[in-house]
Amino acid sequence: MYVCSCFGITEQQVQQHAENGACTPRQIASACKAGTDCGSCVRRIQAILGRGACPRRELAEQGRSVLTPLDEAA
């Protein structure tokens, strides 16, 4: 099912980006442009993100750093 008709982004694609670490609509937009044109899909994206586990959110709730140290990112 299409979530973003402006860019042809499906629910499955949004879920895949979420599994890869995108935890907010803004991060989804950075990954695939969904939500950056007319914006009508942003609430749907929020609902999809609210259903799944977010590794970064889980780390934050545990009080751990959600940012990757520079030496590990290289």
Side-chain angles (χ1 to χ4, degrees):
M1 168 185 242
Y2 284 103
V3 172
C4 177
S5 58
C6 296
F7 294 104
I9 306 300
T10 65
E11 184 172 342
Q12 183 177 358
Q13 288 172 299
V14 171
Q15 290 171 341
Q16 184 62 49
H17 289 301
E19 288 173 12
N20 291 335
C23 297
T24 67
R26 183 171 287 174
Q27 290 171 342
I28 295 292
S30 293
C32 64
K33 294 187 179 181
T36 61
D37 194 26
C38 76
S40 66
C41 61
V42 174
R43 287 187 183 233
R44 179 80 175 133
I45 292 169
Q46 289 172 327
I48 293 168
L49 294 174
R51 281 191 245 144
C54 177
R56 291 183 191 174
R57 186 178 307 129
E58 291 170 4
L59 288 174
E61 288 172 355
Q62 295 171 6
R64 297 171 57 195
S65 175
V66 296
L67 302 175
T68 304
L70 291 176
D71 58 339
E72 289 181 15

